[in-house]
Amino acid sequence: MTKVGIVGFGKMGILHAGILNALPGSKVTAICENESLVFRAAKKVLKEAAFYNDVSKMMTNESLDAVFITSPTNTHSSIIHHVLESDAKVGLFSEKPLAVTGLEASEAANAATKHGIVSLVGFHKRFSPVFAYARKLLDGGAIGELREFKCSSYSADVLTKGTGWRFRRGTGGVLLDLGPHLLDLLLWCFGEPKDVSAVERSIYSSDVEDDVHADVAFQSGLKGTLAISWSQSGYRLPEIRIEVKGSTGSMVVTDDDVSIETSSAVKGLVEAGSHIFQKPSFNTSVDFLLAEPEYTIEDQFFLKAVENHSLVEPSFNTAIKVNEFVDLIHKAAES
Amino acid sequence: MKTQTILKLDRYLLGDNPFIGVDHLSQERARERQTRLNASNIYRVVTAAIASGAGGLLFTTHPMMYTVLRDMRKQDKGTKLGLYPILPYPQALVRIGTEKGIVGLTRHFLGSLSWKARAKALVSGGLSLGYVDPQRALRAYVDTELEILSRNAPEQAILKSVLLHEVITDLLTSFEASELLRSYADHIRDKHGVAPGFATRNFTRFIDFAMKIGLPLDQLVVLAPFNRVGFQMNPSREACEQTLDQLPAANIIAMSILASGFLKLPDALQYLREHPKINSFVVGTSSEEHAIETFSELRRNLGEP
């Protein structure tokens, strides 16, 4: 039985705790939360877990196999250092993004590497059967050499002036909040960026950007544009859309489906012609579902890596690149 | 709004997903539909569905649905229409949580209660910031929602069950929060006089847990996905079917019967016929023609209501 501690019992902490407590091989045995209202309410619902408001104390008192860090982004780095200082042999999961800057992310990742820790960052889109299949098609050359792309990540999360860490300069903004999922998918599918030019705008927020438009050239030569906004009305759920044109075809991937048009067949992968692969055509049943199946697939993948002590991706080291991508876009927007 | 004390489900229910922008197959399609649909054409779809055999409406407490119900009330429609509200509407909560944080969410929640409920909540301590009692908070919330519903619903409509949203049901099941689940069920039955319901996307686990903690399945409504391709059936289609087949007595409403539109109705029907323990079927539709076609076809294949 893998014993899990959760640090930060907000939206993502509750989601992971819900999945982990239900899975057959794991149990949430400790929760660390310093908002007293949440602390008191959670204590009455989750009766079997021990509650803390101090990470170091939790690490001293509990013998845990894995720690999930689901607190605000600007606290991830210090929590990672506190966990590592305890010398506990735990697997570390951090929600995305790993840190608020590339520098902070690399310090946290280097410390974790030094301790030989199994790590994973919550870029759960990689575990969506739809995005995973799209990447397999791209990797297999289903649309030939990649030439041009256009992508977006939209939500309607911020339609009035918000409060809290998501709206403070240095810890929030749409690029650090909603952006990392799309940026990670781009890095995962297209490799590293070379040149970026960008424009950022504040619509409702006073200290942070609400939307970003950028032109990006990747080292492979692939060029295109991205748009990220949390202030698009009409989006009940956040949505990602990536459109890619290649030398032999084109592809559009969203959270719901992959559509592909290709003039040449790739053996064992795709026939020539146009195809659409919708979510129900993949097997998306999971041992326990909350929100989307990719969260469960991600958590089970991580638990297995912890059990086998095997290094997996997207690790803390890989997550540095997402923070560096964010820094690159911010810098481009400033110049 | 009247209430039905003896549990008897309507055979066919109209679901509200297409009306409020929920589409598990394609969010893009949902957004297109949202721009096309307004309260008056939703009203026409609902009345067409009722005329074609939908005996009840299964819906979240989305503002759009209250507008539609109010219109029906004004037009004196909805006589004997079964009402199956699902509480709460979670997307709204998640958005407020993102904008205002979790303490802000609690304050907002308190602010949305009527002054009477707010005074009561503060006096009983259920929602005060210093002391939190999830059981009382849930009960106070349910009372407020049902008070709003009764003000908006057609006078001759009949409240038949109040269902807990799947995210809450599944979360509480995972946390083994038996007291909270039991207290919800007792409150719906004792205070509101109707059958408590639970929506779940983890059918097998919920049924196992409900049996373990002694929730009387014959007096509850359970809403869960059932379809030929196993879409949203967890942990697997086979496990859900086995749980269903072994159930002694229960009141099951099948949702996602068309796998969110991935299956055409004729392809879906054979599967549903093979599972006679399903008592009711809910399906969403966004046009009058489709409503008439769907409910007529269901009646032809799965029996008259």
Side-chain angles (χ1 to χ4, degrees):
Chain A
M1 182 63 67
T2 306
K3 286 191 259 176
V4 182
I6 306 272
V7 184
F9 210 57
K11 182 175 70 179
M12 295 313 293
I14 294 171
L15 175 70
H16 285 292
I19 294 167
L20 293 162
N21 211 49
L23 289 176
S26 57
K27 204 93 210 153
V28 175
T29 55
I31 289 167
C32 184
E33 167 63 51
N34 55 23
E35 177 56 64
S36 73
L37 178 71
V38 182
F39 184 98
R40 288 175 210 205
K43 222 171 160 176
K44 296 209 167 156
V45 178
L46 252 165
K47 293 196 167 153
E48 284 178 29
F51 280 76
Y52 296 89
N53 55 14
D54 180 304
V55 181
S56 302
K57 210 178 269 172
M58 177 179 92
M59 296 311 296
T60 313
N61 290 1
E62 301 289 323
S63 105
L64 299 169
D65 304 299
V67 172
F68 276 62
I69 302 168
T70 48
S71 52
T73 309
N74 61 324
T75 63
H76 291 180
S77 164
S78 81
I79 293 165
I80 292 166
H81 290 297
H82 281 305
V83 172
L84 295 176
E85 274 164 21
S86 76
D87 270 334
K89 290 276 162 269
V90 291
L92 263 181
F93 176 99
S94 168
E95 253 315 326
K96 60 83 214 173
L98 179 57
V100 292
T101 63
L103 183 67
E104 196 186 52
S106 59
E107 281 168 7
N110 291 343
T113 306
K114 215 180 280 168
H115 280 78
I117 292 273
V118 173
S119 69
L120 194 80
V121 177
F123 295 117
H124 69 273
K125 298 287 175 190
R126 290 194 186 199
F127 298 92
S128 138
V130 178
F131 286 114
Y133 191 61
R135 184 176 184 262
K136 193 175 157 195
L137 289 171
L138 289 174
D139 264 13
I143 58 167
E145 188 190 315
L146 307 185
R147 300 267 165 88
E148 199 182 307
F149 75 95
K150 191 174 137 191
C151 65
S152 60
S153 175
Y154 293 138
S155 83
D157 286 342
V158 180
L159 298 174
T160 56
K161 194 173 163 56
T163 52
W165 61 275
R166 283 191 173 83
F167 303 93
R168 279 196 287 271
R169 197 164 186 77
T171 62
V174 70
L175 210 45
L176 271 178
D177 189 78
L178 184 65
H181 289 304
L182 177 62
L183 299 182
D184 178 63
L185 285 175
L186 297 181
L187 292 166
W188 192 43
C189 294
F190 302 155
E192 305 222 2
K194 197 172 81 181
D195 290 315
V196 176
S197 64
V199 177
E200 296 181 356
R201 287 189 305 183
S202 298
I203 303 166
Y204 300 103
S205 307
S206 46
D207 294 341
V208 295
E209 77 289 350
D210 294 317
D211 77 17
V212 177
H213 287 85
D215 287 326
V216 182
F218 283 86
Q219 284 177 1
S220 63
L222 173 68
K223 285 181 179 170
T225 61
L226 68 83
I228 301 173
S229 172
W230 61 13
S231 301
Q232 289 278 345
S233 66
Y235 284 77
R236 192 183 68 92
L237 298 172
E239 284 179 48
I240 284 178
R241 186 176 196 279
I242 305 172
E243 198 181 321
V244 201
K245 292 193 195 313
S247 54
T248 59
S250 63
M251 181 200 269
V252 178
V253 55
T254 69
D255 296 87
D256 298 318
D257 49 49
V258 184
S259 36
I260 179 168
E261 264 183 48
T262 177
S263 57
S264 60
V266 176
K267 210 179 157 204
L269 193 64
V270 69
E271 300 286 315
S274 59
H275 315 275
I276 178 160
F277 304 97
Q278 294 176 295
K279 221 189 280 177
S281 61
F282 302 96
N283 177 13
T284 53
S285 290
V286 287
D287 285 344
F288 186 78
L289 179 76
L290 265 185
E292 295 296 333
E294 40 267 37
Y295 291 109
T296 308
I297 301 170
E298 173 186 66
D299 286 356
Q300 285 184 305
F301 174 78
F302 177 62
L303 291 176
K304 199 170 164 213
V306 171
E307 199 184 319
N308 301 335
H309 202 82
S310 52
L311 299 178
V312 289
E313 293 294 348
S315 67
F316 283 7
N317 281 320
T318 300
I320 301 171
K321 292 189 168 53
V322 175
N323 271 112
E324 286 174 346
F325 203 171
V326 170
D327 293 348
L328 194 63
I329 296 172
H330 277 322
K331 207 173 145 203
E334 278 165 20
S335 63
Chain B
M1 180 176 74
K2 300 176 170 181
T3 52
Q4 178 186 270
T5 44
I6 297 163
L7 172 53
K8 189 172 185 314
L9 294 173
D10 292 296
R11 181 81 169 153
Y12 305 112
L13 308 176
L14 177 67
D16 72 340
N17 274 356
F19 306 150
I20 60 165
V22 178
D23 188 325
H24 298 296
L25 195 63
S26 164
Q27 277 303 307
E28 197 172 333
R29 186 174 69 177
R31 275 185 287 108
E32 283 163 12
R33 206 187 267 141
Q34 274 295 89
T35 56
R36 187 163 53 79
L37 284 173
N38 53 38
S40 73
N41 40 38
I42 293 173
Y43 176 86
R44 285 200 295 275
V45 178
V46 174
T47 43
I50 295 169
S52 309
L57 191 58
L58 183 85
F59 58 101
T60 48
T61 53
H62 189 280
M64 176 66 98
M65 294 316 296
Y66 283 138
T67 310
V68 173
L69 287 171
R70 224 163 29 235
D71 289 348
M72 293 182 77
R73 184 187 174 111
K74 276 186 216 147
Q75 303 290 323
D76 226 7
K77 296 266 181 185
T79 302
K80 290 191 182 164
L81 175 68
L83 298 178
Y84 301 79
I86 303 176
L87 309 177
Y89 177 61
Q91 256 68 40
L93 302 184
V94 167
R95 208 182 58 227
I96 298 162
T98 306
E99 273 183 13
K100 314 275 181 208
I102 203 135
V103 178
L105 175 65
T106 312
R107 290 214 173 93
H108 170 93
F109 176 64
L110 193 60
S112 71
L113 299 180
S114 69
W115 68 269
K116 223 165 104 186
R118 193 157 56 213
K120 205 177 139 199
L122 284 169
V123 170
S124 67
L127 283 166
S128 69
L129 295 181
Y131 175 76
V132 177
D133 181 344
Q135 288 190 34
R136 281 184 188 170
L138 184 60
R139 289 198 296 261
Y141 168 73
V142 166
D143 292 350
T144 309
E145 282 289 359
L146 292 180
E147 187 194 314
I148 300 170
L149 177 63
S150 72
R151 281 204 307 268
N152 289 283
E155 278 167 33
Q156 298 301 315
I158 306 165
L159 182 69
K160 296 199 172 168
S161 178
V162 180
L163 294 102
L164 195 60
H165 193 280
E166 64 213 32
V167 169
I168 309 295
T169 303
D170 291 335
L171 203 53
L172 296 181
T173 305
S174 164
F175 291 162
E176 303 192 347
S178 49
E179 286 169 26
L180 202 44
L181 286 168
R182 237 188 253 120
S183 129
Y184 170 80
D186 291 348
H187 185 66
I188 298 297
R189 195 190 52 232
D190 300 342
K191 167 103 192 270
H192 297 283
V194 297
F198 295 91
T200 177
R201 285 199 283 165
N202 297 282
F203 182 68
T204 298
R205 192 179 182 97
F206 174 73
I207 295 291
D208 288 350
F209 189 65
M211 286 173 125
K212 186 177 147 195
I213 66 170
L215 283 176
L217 285 172
D218 58 329
Q219 294 162 41
L220 302 179
V221 175
V222 180
L223 170 67
F226 283 98
N227 56 70
R228 183 170 63 79
V229 287
F231 186 51
Q232 303 215 328
M233 292 173 72
N234 302 294
S236 65
R237 193 190 74 181
E238 295 72 20
C240 291
E241 289 169 358
Q242 202 183 349
T243 303
L244 180 70
D245 292 343
Q246 288 170 357
L247 270 181
N251 307 282
I252 308 294
I253 306 175
M255 63 176 167
S256 303
I257 59 173
L258 304 178
S260 301
F262 183 71
L263 296 171
K264 295 284 162 262
L265 191 54
D267 300 337
L269 288 166
Q270 180 57 33
Y271 178 83
L272 300 173
R273 270 196 299 263
E274 286 164 10
H275 296 283
K277 285 211 171 168
I278 299 173
N279 310 73
S280 277
F281 307 90
V282 58
V283 63
T285 148
S286 63
S287 74
E288 288 172 79
E289 305 80 67
H290 191 227
I292 295 165
E293 193 189 304
T294 304
F295 287 100
S296 311
E297 194 69 10
L298 283 172
R299 273 166 41 215
R300 239 193 322 276
N301 286 277
L302 299 168
E304 287 299 324

